[in-house]
Amino acid sequence: GVAHVILNRTQSGRFPRSVCGVVTQPGQFSFVRGGRMTSPSDGNKAYRTALSVAQLAMDHKVESPVAAALYFHATRVAPGWGRQRVATIGRHVFYR
């Protein structure tokens, strides 16, 4: 879902047009600090999984479970957005 939100943002006209531009926007993703992403080791299983998921999404090999979603948050927070809810996947809620 998160990978598809990133790709949706690149196409929306409201966010940067590149994946890197979307991901490094200030305050958008908790894993970005000071405009940079951390560099986990290639041996990190979660990192390898994330790379695989991102590649599948970029290659359009999986259908988006969050059609047209541009926003998401973790279920542990409640931002009170007035946006249309699209889906909940695991610990994330997705919106248009």
Side-chain angles (χ1 to χ4, degrees):
V2 173
H4 282 100
V5 165
I6 293 167
L7 295 175
N8 291 346
R9 286 182 178 189
T10 67
Q11 300 298 311
S12 75
R14 294 188 263 170
F15 296 90
R17 293 195 50 82
S18 72
V19 169
C20 288
V22 167
V23 170
T24 58
Q25 270 193 300
Q28 297 299 302
F29 294 93
S30 60
F31 55 84
V32 176
R33 299 282 189 257
R36 296 183 183 267
M37 294 187 340
T38 58
S39 297
S41 68
D42 287 335
N44 182 307
K45 184 178 178 183
Y47 178 66
R48 288 193 325 266
T49 299
L51 287 177
S52 296
V53 168
Q55 192 64 60
L56 289 170
M58 290 180 2
D59 291 344
H60 306 286
K61 301 271 183 176
V62 292
E63 188 173 331
S64 175
V66 295
L70 294 174
Y71 306 94
F72 70 95
H73 63 76
T75 54
R76 71 180 182 279
V77 298
W81 294 339
R83 303 187 182 282
Q84 180 182 358
R85 184 182 231 166
V86 175
T88 300
I89 301 172
R91 290 183 253 165
H92 292 91
V93 183
F94 298 85
Y95 300 85
R96 284 197 184 116

